[in-house]
Amino acid sequence: MLPTDGVMSFPGQTWEKVLSKVKKAVVFMDDRCSEGLHWNGGAALLFEAGARNIKPFSSFEAGGQNQPKAVFVVSTVLKGRTADIIKDIISLSHFQYCVVFTTVPHSIHLLANNVTTDLEGNPVFEQFEEKLCEWMGDMNYTAEVMHAPVVFAPLTQQLHLLPAFSELFPLLEVDLEAINEKRPEKKRFGSLMDVDMHSLPPELQIQIKSLASALNALFEFISTREESFSVGPMSRLIAGELASHPQAKNRRKSVPNKASIVFIDRTLDLTGAVGHHGDNLVEKILSVLPQLPGHVTDVQVDMLELTHLKQTTDTKGILAPGCLAQNQSATARLLWETMLVAKQKEAVMEVRRQLVEAASKENLPIKMSLGRVTADQLCSYVQLFRDSWGALESHSGVLQLGLAAAQALRHPALPRWDACLAFERLLLDSFCFSSKGFSSDLFLSFLNLLILLIHKASTNKCRTYTYCCILSCDMRNVEKVENDLIGALTLRLTQQTSLSPLLQEITGKCTTFGHVLRCDMQDFAHSFMHVDSMSSLLRDGVHLHLHVL
């Protein structure tokens, strides 16, 4: 098997061990593992393997009277809150056979239990098996605990994400201060580049080691020895952990294939992440539609257009949402890949073409139209399917993607996209050419203004890598821009009738809102202190991006 073929099939392969154990079982799964399953075939994958039911991993869930077998799939260490939830579920059920899968390997469980010496077998897993039998109420019942790296979410055959590590964020200057506070003065680190693994909090060490273990499992599967490169302090730690992984050392001695892997700190591409210069349909869909509950890589698609129900308060929330992950249909998968890589105009035209083709196959009375594709036009095509259950079922994947496109195109937040792009360009102009500073228009939302401030922090520190016309900055202009933006943010904050979780987290750090924002933005800007010698990685001639090769 070629390495490229192995990479494509690896995410599905990681679920094989789980599928072999779910027959006649109730499956309890946490959000991170559910998201991986979501992109690998969804719940249908488990039901086809014989699972009786799938439930959230929660203390408020339990098995039924006639359900003696349970399978737990979790993305955490088997201790603390995770162990408590498993105990709660078992105590409320009548299980006689429990299987627990964790994405965290046994070696990291040893670290989590402060065991520093190598031990034979899997003693931590074996001890947990005994606990499972104890909670089931009979030591003669059957319990199994094993590791399965079900953390990969294949959005396409070429693009895999790891949502289980979505909260693994690069270190900032404030983290360096917290690390140094716990160290003797003579042993304090001078910069983030000096920080080593052993000085990090245990929870962060577990995340980094788990990520390295998952990547090692991938390289083992494709029989490949990697050459690692890193850009940024956190990436250096991850690359070092992968290089020193015990199994990786043995693998590199015998495997025939070679590959390069580049780790890049996400803080070094904030202008790409928060910018509005992209002309991509999926980027806009992900930006404006609400996320699926518990997910970070998919959104909710309102399915009301596929019914004759009217949009009222009574109908809100009664339909299960659609999504972007369409694994059952080859046509829908191809449409999704086109939407993901094509420019917006090409993507919406392909959405229309696929809807027209699907309607024609079902002999639905479609009216052809040329020219610009509109949201109303796409919705009118989708509505043709609502009176034919067979047609709706056959083309559900294409219909959900069509609705996602239509709902994004007519979303009230979308017109702000071009406005935000204009403000980003104005920001850059303000840095160099305007002594009057920058005045933000209050029609932008709080989140829009916050994103502009992050964009500002990311660009003025790496100004020689942004627009080609910018050769120097007047720091007085930069400070004026920052003050104007923070002032607009503060004003917008006073107009909020309630605070979102994000605002509560920001304002909870400090009594002075402007001060905490300025500190956070400085931390982002300092991320570029270590990449001055790497301009070739950063320059693409138009915008700042970091491209993973």
Side-chain angles (χ1 to χ4, degrees), residues 31 93 121 143 160 311 317 346 352 428 430 438 462 482 493 497:
D31 286 343
S93 307
H160 296 181
Q311 186 79 55
E346 298 169 3
R352 179 174 68 179
L428 294 171
S430 299
F438 170 83
C462 54
E482 182 176 283
L493 178 66
T497 56

Side-chain angles (χ1 to χ4, degrees), residues 36 88 160 421 445 449 539:
D88 291 341
H160 296 181
L421 175 58
S445 68
L449 290 168
R539 189 195 304 272

Side-chain angles (χ1 to χ4, degrees), residues 204-259:
L204 185 53
Q205 290 188 46
I206 289 172
Q207 279 192 297
I208 292 175
K209 288 179 178 290
S210 296
L211 174 57
S213 175
L215 294 173
N216 177 69
L218 169 62
F219 287 122
E220 278 189 351
F221 184 75
I222 61 176
S223 300
T224 298
R225 61 182 184 272
E226 78 286 355
E227 187 176 8
S228 297
F229 301 89
S230 63
V231 184
M234 178 64 82
S235 294
R236 179 183 62 84
L237 293 174
I238 297 172
E241 187 60 34
L242 178 60
S244 62
H245 194 282
Q247 295 176 358
K249 293 179 180 178
N250 297 328
R251 166 173 50 80
R252 296 190 196 99
K253 295 177 182 178
S254 58
V255 295
N257 304 311
K258 295 181 180 179

